[in-house]
Structures are given as C-alpha cells and as structure tokens.
Amino acid sequence: MPQNRMNRNKPLIAIITALCIYGQAYAQRIKGSDTLLPLTQELAEDYVEKHPSEEVIVTGGGTGVGIASLMENTTDIAMASRRIKFGEKMEFAEEELQSREVVVAYDALAVVVNPSNPVDSLTREQLEAIFRGKITNWKEVGGTDSKIIVYSRETSSGTYEFFKESVLENKNYMASILSMPATGAIIQSVRQTKGAIGYIGLAYLNPYVKALAVSYDGGEHYAMPSVENAADGSYPIVRPLYYYYDAEREAEVSPFVTYALSPEGQKTVLGQGFIPVDFEK
C-alpha cells in the first residue's frame, strides 16, 4: 500500500496567501467531511505552491456541516463522504442554488478493533448484529468472553450514513452506541478500549488499531481493507467521496477542482491512501 502521509501533524486549517478577484482579496473556502480533510489539505497545499497568488482555506466538521455551509454561503466547496440527500437538494432549490457534484476519490471503510483483540474477521451479518446491539459479547464471534463496546461517527457524518447503508442495510444503529465527533476520536477510543469496535476511512489506519477482514458473501471470501483490494473489488466497503459547489461559483472553484482531478492531484489521492477516480471496481 502507498505510504500514508496523513500523520504529519498538518494543521487543521491549510491557509496560503491571497487570491484577488475583481480587485479584492478572496480566499477559496472548503469545508465538510473529516474523511476528506487530510486529502484536501494536501491538495490545497500542493495547489497553492503552484499558484502562489491564491489562498485556500480547508476545515472539517463533517459532511452535513459542509453541505449546510454551502447552502448558507459560508463555504465554496463542500466535502462530502456521501451523496447529497433529496431533502438537501430541495433546500438548495428553495435557496435558488444549483449544486454541482464531482467525485474526487474513492475510499475503503475499515472496521477496526483494539490490537489485543484475537478476532481477525467478521461477516457483514455479524457486523450488522454488533452495531445493532444483537451481538454484545466477543465470544459470540470467536473472541474472548468480554463485552463489545461499539463506537460510531455522529449522525451529521457522511461516514455514519454510508456505514448504515452498506453494512446495516439501512437498519438503525443500537440506541446505546457511542457517537464520536471525528475519526481521530474513534481511533483513540478503540486504541484505549480492549473490547472496542469502530469504523474509519482507510487513509486513517495506523498501528494503534487493528483492521478486520470483511466478508459480504456469508463468510466464503474475506478481504482486508487496502487500496489494492478496493480497486479490484475484493474489498466490499468502498464509497465515492465528493466535492459539491454552487454552479454559479464554477469559475472560482474550477481551477482547484481541476487540479484535484489531474494526474498530479490523483497521485496525491493515492499517496494519501485513497483510491483514484479512474480505478476499476
């Protein structure tokens, strides 16, 4: 797998110099998905190195926050780890905005446990039962006699929505699930809790948590989350990652979006542990 570059203590806001439009200083604003945050920070820094007269400000907060900010005109691009919802499209229409959608990368979602956990693999059905509270002890899935502590992203997260759709088949999470505000919080919690399980984007994997092999065919075939397995279709939990923007701002956002989709930008996508847009699923 390509070297993961997200653990370089990059600031949560990437700010670089000034873009002048119609004689006024203008900073392009990008906000939303925490999954896309490290990738977009890297793209923004690389982009501004090549365009030193421009400024790009990147912040997280979750997919829902990014899309809401786009409607409120407090961001130019919304980063999203799920597709825009029908209700959100209706809100855009009410504000006389026309959203544009661009797939900038693909991401494999990794199911992670504490490194001390002897369980190495789970089926989709077992995952569904765990996250719905039907399986509550690790011994029920081949582990030790210990309680399962279930961590999830909060409801405004696109990752929360995608996991619910793909793994739970749109059934509800358990009522007592522990919701975390960001991916880093899930990693820290799983690292510190022996019975924990959670899910994170592939680019966030590190030695402090253990990824599980997953089967979507009842246990006949298992695959580990990796760029290679996501690209060849053997790993099943894969999703597109999006940029959304208002069509009226296309002239302002197009140069950065074009760079993100360029061969150089997609090389950064791969280097960050994501899957380029032209991969064959």
Side-chain angles (χ1 to χ4, degrees):
M1 181 185 298
Q3 180 67 35
N4 188 327
R5 298 191 293 169
M6 58 81 60
N7 294 314
R8 292 188 179 179
N9 298 317
K10 292 186 180 297
L12 286 182
I13 304 179
I15 305 181
I16 322 100
T17 352
L19 170 63
C20 292
I21 296 179
Y22 305 120
Q24 297 181 344
Y26 176 81
Q28 188 167 170
R29 304 157 298 175
I30 306 176
K31 190 172 188 176
S33 168
D34 289 321
T35 299
L36 269 167
L37 182 60
L39 170 59
T40 304
Q41 286 174 333
E42 186 81 26
L43 288 169
E45 291 179 8
D46 293 345
Y47 175 78
V48 173
E49 281 182 9
K50 296 171 176 57
H51 304 84
S53 65
E54 302 188 14
E55 180 180 9
V56 182
I57 301 173
V58 185
T59 57
T63 295
V65 170
I67 291 175
S69 298
L70 191 60
M71 286 187 276
E72 294 163 0
N73 195 30
T74 56
T75 194
D76 301 299
I77 296 175
M79 300 179 288
S81 55
R82 60 162 172 81
R83 293 199 77 175
I84 191 170
K85 298 178 181 178
F86 178 77
E88 291 166 337
K89 286 184 177 181
M90 293 301 98
E91 291 181 52
F92 269 89
E94 290 173 5
E95 297 295 328
E96 298 184 347
L97 301 174
Q98 186 177 359
S99 63
R100 288 279 191 270
E101 175 187 286
V102 175
V103 175
V104 69
Y106 289 85
D107 179 36
L109 206 59
V111 177
V112 294
V113 296
N114 186 275
S116 67
N117 195 323
V119 173
D120 294 317
S121 60
L122 291 171
T123 66
R124 187 206 64 77
E125 291 81 5
Q126 289 172 322
L127 287 171
E128 177 187 319
I130 288 171
F131 280 85
R132 298 194 66 220
K134 308 299 183 183
I135 292 177
T136 59
N137 193 298
W138 282 110
K139 69 180 180 181
E140 298 177 68
V141 290
T144 60
D145 184 3
S146 57
K147 182 180 179 181
I148 300 176
I149 311 298
V150 186
Y151 289 94
S152 169
R153 287 298 309 279
E154 59 190 359
T155 57
S156 64
S157 164
T159 304
Y160 169 97
E161 296 280 358
F162 174 75
F163 192 85
K164 179 180 179 180
E165 176 185 336
S166 177
V167 177
L168 307 189
E169 295 189 338
N170 284 316
K171 301 180 183 73
N172 290 328
Y173 288 86
M174 61 193 291
S176 59
I177 202 162
L178 299 172
S179 297
M180 297 288 107
T183 298
I186 288 185
I187 293 172
Q188 183 177 8
S189 298
V190 173
R191 177 186 182 184
Q192 296 175 346
T193 309
K194 286 187 177 180
I197 187 171
Y199 53 84
I200 61 176
L202 176 63
Y204 284 85
L205 270 182
N206 61 47
Y208 301 116
V209 293
K210 180 174 116 177
L212 299 183
V214 174
S215 171
Y216 265 42
D217 59 6
E220 291 189 22
H221 303 92
Y222 287 88
M224 289 292 292
S226 70
V227 171
E228 295 78 12
N229 289 344
D232 68 19
S234 60
Y235 187 75
I237 315 178
V238 178
R239 58 179 173 167
L241 302 174
Y242 304 94
Y243 285 163
Y244 285 98
Y245 59 90
D246 178 14
E248 290 190 1
R249 290 185 176 270
E250 186 141 18
E252 288 113 342
V253 305
S254 181
F256 178 78
V257 172
T258 298
Y259 173 75
L261 296 175
S262 71
E264 189 169 3
Q266 291 295 294
K267 184 178 179 181
T268 299
V269 166
L270 188 61
Q272 279 277 358
F274 295 93
I275 302 101
V277 294
D278 59 355
F279 88 107
E280 292 295 332
K281 185 175 178 182

